[in-house]
Amino acid sequence: MLQRLRNTPGAPLTGETTLSKGVFALIFVISMAMAVGNLGLVSVMPAIGRAIGISDHLVAAIFSLSALLWAISAPHWARVSDVRGRKPMMMLGLGGFVFSMLGCALVVWAGLQALLAPMVVFLAFAAIRGVFGLLGSATASSSQAYVAERTSEKDRTAALSALAGALGMGTIIGPAVSPLLVFGFLGLAGPMTIFALIAAAILIAVAVVIPSDRPSAQARAAALKASAADDRPARAKGGIGVWRDKDIGPYLWFGLLSACAQAINVYTLGFVIMDEMALPATEAQGYIGIAMAAGAAAGLVGQWVLIPGLKMTPRRLLRAGAVLALAGNLVTVFASEIWLLTIGYVVLTLGFSFCRPGFTAGSSLAARADQQGLVAGMVSSLSGAAIVVTPVVGVLLYEFAPAAPFVLNCIVMSGLALYAWKNASLRRGEPGLAQTSIVS
């Protein structure tokens, strides 16, 4: 059951100090729907690429422009949400998602009907997807900031873990339902069309349900005055300063590198399964969906059962997550059967499901009340930064040697596991979880 959480240390600029269960439920649905669409699209893109005639590494590169724009724009939208409120930014991102999904569906359909050449499909898809990268990050950063500033420090890890669970549920549903949405005259464009229509309905719900939260000039001035009186060392306001901050920075660096490793796993999985099964693209889609759904289910168990049940703190989440992701990639290196590939993907996804709430909650807890929007924007930007070039690198490594991308991931996760144990900032402070989880 959703609990009503009260923010004690630093109220949001609007003066609202509680997170109602109805609003949190809608924010949860927003995050889940965007994850459904994005992972559903990732799961069908290998089949789309091979059906249209786009090479594997170009399929991976199709998301690079979008990811770059996401990484650049997320901190900007976080700052804008400090002035205009979180709700308008949630709506802006959802609008970009709807436009992008419908546009990409149209381009893919035209390519499948041979109305457009493969290279034209590639360029048009990348450009339209770029709109989502530019606008979609507004929803992610503003949603996290909305929740963070309305929860106390002891509740925040549980709240943000529950929100991360929405992403986990989305990554289950997206790959699982995508094969079912390949139907009729839409064909492989079907999933994108349905995801866009669902997001449009959610956009309307956000406009109706979430109250306006545009902060007043007086509230903003009071928050800035409180920030100036903070007795902790002054921190740079810009994004670069946050990355160099001795308390916040280590969490962001851990998040970036772990997100890059996860991107390699996610974006190479479809190609690995198609080659292992030696099946046509459309026939292999079901196996890809099963593997992705199994991994996402493991991630959901981690975020909704293990994290609150074990009362895991951010530092412990980073340690356990790095070790599990390392183990999953080791299994993948030596896997020669589809069931072993699936097991490896399940284990590594469980590990990454610990990493994200770990660096998300850790960075939020390390930040001041007036920095929550900025830190949320930085954390959101990691999702885009991680897939600017990483998927292309992963697929190129896979084409060179099938085990190469997973060996690289083993090296990265080994380093992060050691970093989580040894870094002084990550070792300081063990803020406890709430005694009652936001989700029961």
Side-chain angles (χ1 to χ4, degrees), residues 233-290:
R235 289 171 179 162
K237 297 295 182 182
I240 295 177
V242 173
W243 280 89
R244 297 191 335 223
D245 183 275
K246 63 183 178 62
D247 293 326
I248 302 172
Y251 289 103
L252 296 179
W253 285 111
F254 188 104
L256 176 61
L257 292 174
S258 62
C260 286
Q262 185 175 18
I264 287 178
N265 288 122
V266 171
Y267 284 86
T268 57
L269 179 67
F271 301 114
V272 175
I273 290 178
M274 281 191 289
D275 293 335
E276 185 64 39
M277 299 295 293
L279 290 174
T282 53
E283 294 181 31
Q285 186 58 46
Y287 293 97
I288 296 171
I290 290 172

Side-chain angles (χ1 to χ4, degrees), residues 296-324:
L300 196 59
V301 169
Q303 290 166 341
W304 281 9
V305 179
L306 297 179
I307 294 175
L310 298 175
K311 301 292 189 289
M312 299 181 74
T313 57
R315 183 178 63 149
R316 292 171 183 168
L317 289 171
L318 298 184
R319 290 176 174 179
V323 171
L324 285 169

Side-chain angles (χ1 to χ4, degrees), residues 5 24 147 151-165 303-304 307-308 311-312 314 317 357 361 365 432-439:
L5 300 178
F24 181 83
V147 172
T151 51
S152 66
E153 289 189 357
K154 72 185 182 72
D155 289 323
R156 197 169 301 156
T157 302
L160 294 178
S161 293
L163 196 60
Q303 290 166 341
W304 281 9
I307 294 175
K311 301 292 189 289
M312 299 181 74
L317 289 171
L365 290 165
L433 288 175
Q435 294 302 306
T436 56
S437 173
I438 195 170
V439 176

